[in-house]
Amino acid sequence: MSWLDAVKWNEQGLVAAIAQDAEDGRVLMMAWMNLEALKATLARGEAVYWSRSRGRLWHKGESSGHVQRVRDIALDCDGDTVLLQVEQRGGVACHTGRRSCFYRHLDDQAWREGEPVLKDPARTYAGKNDE
């Protein structure tokens, strides 16, 4: 049995992928992977996801330079979520210029932005597609 046989792909052939900072455990982002993306991630040692909006593979950092160097890949008990332990290059994982995509926090039934923008996305993605 191949290691890929343990992955439970959804109806679209995708599996959820969580990127977590390997140093401090902070969840940086969630994205999707298909079979090709997961294989490419293992081969490159850098995160490669499936972009549903673009309908193609997306090497994290291809336009921003914010590459995710993969230190470990884990599969959850149900086989339907992959956890990537990563080194986040440039300290920014979110296309909004923040460290994490999870920067909005529920406070008194309203979403509050709790993290600063570290890098201006207009300068990071000037003339490029957002990640």
Side-chain angles (χ1 to χ4, degrees):
M1 181 166 112
S2 164
W3 62 279
L4 292 166
D5 293 334
V7 179
K8 292 184 184 167
W9 309 96
N10 70 13
E11 305 79 40
Q12 292 80 40
L14 303 173
V15 65
I18 304 291
Q20 182 180 39
D21 188 293
E23 291 299 315
D24 66 10
R26 177 73 196 271
V27 173
L28 301 175
M29 59 179 278
M30 181 274 176
W32 296 96
M33 290 182 150
N34 63 5
L35 177 64
E36 190 178 359
L38 186 53
K39 285 180 176 180
T41 295
L42 182 64
R44 289 181 86 123
E46 296 178 347
V48 177
Y49 301 106
W50 175 256
S51 172
R52 295 180 303 164
S53 62
R54 291 177 262 185
R56 66 172 179 82
L57 289 180
W58 155 46
H59 176 223
K60 175 68 175 153
E62 67 189 26
S63 59
S64 68
H66 301 144
V67 173
Q68 292 176 339
R69 177 83 180 117
V70 177
R71 287 198 191 165
D72 187 59
I73 302 173
L75 186 64
D76 79 331
C77 59
D78 294 324
D80 61 3
T81 304
V82 172
L83 176 66
L84 304 178
Q85 296 278 326
V86 302
E87 270 178 51
Q88 181 63 61
R89 302 287 164 89
V92 174
C94 185
H95 75 279
T96 66
R98 292 174 175 86
R99 178 173 179 229
S100 171
C101 293
F102 297 95
Y103 62 89
R104 294 182 283 188
H105 302 272
L106 191 58
D107 179 23
D108 197 24
Q109 298 187 25
W111 293 109
R112 310 264 188 242
E113 293 183 4
E115 292 187 24
V117 172
L118 302 176
K119 197 168 185 185
D120 180 3
R123 290 187 3 192
T124 303
Y125 300 102
K128 301 173 184 174
N129 289 331
D130 285 354
E131 292 193 349

